[in-house]
Amino acid sequence: MYKLYRLTAATAFSALGLVPSAFAEGLPGAPAPFDKGGVKLALISYISAGDFFQAYQAGAEAQAKALGVDLRVFPGRQDAAEQREQILQAINLGVQGIVVDHGLPESLTDVVQQALDKGIKVVAFDVNLDNPKIPQIEQSDHKLAEIALKQAIKDNGSSFNAGYVYVAGFAPLDRRNEIWDKVKAANPGIVEKARFGNVSDTTATSTADQAKAVFQANPDISVVFAPYDEFARGVKLAAADLGISSKLKIYSADISTADIQEIVEEGSPWVATAATNPAVVGAVSIRAAALQIAGETVPQKIVVDPVLVTQLQLRDAGVTTIEELAKKIPTFSTSAAATASWIPAAAF
Ligand code: SR1
């Protein structure tokens, strides 16, 4: 009977576009309400497609399962109106906490305020909700851009013609852009010949189309700063189609097993990326919400630090998957951010 109920509930949630990742159970020794179980959280994303966001969601689900939390995952389709609607749905579902993952602040502020007014705890990853009651989680985007660009200068010197992939309005890309501007100002020999980019459900292929036009118009571009793995994939695809991979170097953000394979393949122009483990960031987001629900203090700004990963390091170490990378860099699989003795580690 219970199994039948679970099946029925799961079917109903999925018909609504919701994915229940775990059913709640109590956590012995945890503070209320986690000791009794029944805690419901919502993960409301603006983007769900692509390796980064899938791994982020998997990490959030793994941490929710470890906490005995019933996590409702609302898929993101780059639709601001739908994300607003999902926040209202989560409020009506009676969740105790909401993780808002990316999005456009102007379309979220009032509905998020409605959640706060009902006593629901809210945390935000990579969307600047600018509210002292909402902890902000990020990957230290300034550091991420700094280490990627430091490597670009190490490899290419401080004078080169660059292509830059950027879409304004996304908090992590805006923060990375601040560093790009600083690095250009400090190194006048770095010339931004073209700026392009697109964020959609086909980011990589649309960026590839734009990159092709850019390379045809600017054959002297030798370096591309593409600080999002979907951007880097698009640029790499364009370079391969035009047969110019050997005269180009791509510096990016993010990493996944598929990215590693594209980086290490023979002749790949994708030479370095600065990245966190997105599963860890997903787990940190759930922990931050859980700590708030338990009444514990959570810092206003929670940061997961990135590491630089180069093509050379991956090839030398024979690393072909994220799991192998995590074995080489143990800090890649954990973060001390938003932890407590009663919160079990997530298994991923
Ligand atoms: C459209 S924003 C894409 C970025 O969000 C996350 O911060 C990832 O690092 C990705 O690069």
Side-chain angles (χ1 to χ4, degrees), residues 47 52-53 102 125-126 139 141 144 170-173 176 199 227-229 231 253-254 276:
I47 306 173
F52 180 92
F53 294 102
H102 289 70
F125 167 52
D126 268 358
Q139 302 173 85
D141 293 289
L144 185 149
F170 291 93
L173 303 184
R176 295 167 198 174
V199 174
Y228 173 17
D229 60 349
F231 290 163
D254 310 317
T276 64

Side-chain angles (χ1 to χ4, degrees), residues 23-31 33-39 65-69 344:
F23 283 82
E25 282 165 28
L27 194 63
F34 295 92
D35 54 344
K36 302 271 185 300
V39 178
K65 189 171 179 201
L67 274 163
V69 159

Side-chain angles (χ1 to χ4, degrees), residues 135-254:
Q136 296 283 150
I137 299 154
E138 66 152 286
Q139 302 173 85
S140 185
D141 293 289
H142 284 166
K143 183 172 174 197
L144 185 149
E146 275 162 13
I147 57 180
L149 289 169
K150 193 169 165 205
Q151 185 66 30
I153 291 172
K154 187 174 170 204
D155 292 347
N156 304 282
S158 56
S159 292
F160 52 78
N161 291 325
Y164 175 44
V165 195
Y166 173 53
V167 176
F170 291 93
L173 303 184
D174 292 344
R175 289 189 287 261
R176 295 167 198 174
N177 181 59
E178 286 163 13
I179 299 303
W180 172 243
D181 283 344
K182 263 195 196 166
V183 168
K184 276 189 305 175
N187 298 277
I190 298 177
V191 179
E192 183 184 312
K193 300 285 285 191
R195 177 179 291 217
F196 55 100
N198 140 285
V199 174
S200 65
D201 50 356
T202 56
T203 298
T205 48
S206 313
T207 301
D209 291 340
Q210 295 176 336
K212 262 193 205 172
V214 162
F215 291 140
Q216 278 162 337
N218 300 276
D220 53 349
I221 288 178
S222 58
V223 169
V224 178
F225 182 43
Y228 173 17
D229 60 349
E230 300 295 324
F231 290 163
R233 272 188 205 176
V235 174
K236 177 174 175 281
L237 194 62
D241 281 356
L242 295 173
I244 57 165
S245 302
S246 62
K247 62 175 214 89
L248 201 68
K249 285 192 170 63
I250 303 169
Y251 298 83
S252 81
D254 310 317

Side-chain angles (χ1 to χ4, degrees), residues 33-47:
F34 295 92
D35 54 344
K36 302 271 185 300
V39 178
K40 258 187 268 174
L41 294 182
L43 169 60
I44 301 181
S45 300
Y46 182 74
I47 306 173

Side-chain angles (χ1 to χ4, degrees), residues 108-155:
L108 294 172
T109 314
D110 61 330
V111 282
V112 158
Q113 188 59 50
Q114 286 183 40
L116 293 171
D117 291 345
K118 289 202 151 54
I120 297 169
K121 303 298 182 190
V122 178
V123 301
F125 167 52
D126 268 358
V127 52
N128 191 1
L129 294 178
D130 202 19
N131 184 321
K133 289 200 171 138
I134 303 179
Q136 296 283 150
I137 299 154
E138 66 152 286
Q139 302 173 85
S140 185
D141 293 289
H142 284 166
K143 183 172 174 197
L144 185 149
E146 275 162 13
I147 57 180
L149 289 169
K150 193 169 165 205
Q151 185 66 30
I153 291 172
K154 187 174 170 204
D155 292 347

Side-chain angles (χ1 to χ4, degrees), residues 9 37 106 113 164 170 199 224 235 258 265 291 309 315 319 322:
E106 59 280 13
Q113 188 59 50
Y164 175 44
F170 291 93
V199 174
V224 178
V235 174
E265 83 185 18
L291 286 169
V309 180
R315 284 181 179 164
V319 167
I322 274 282

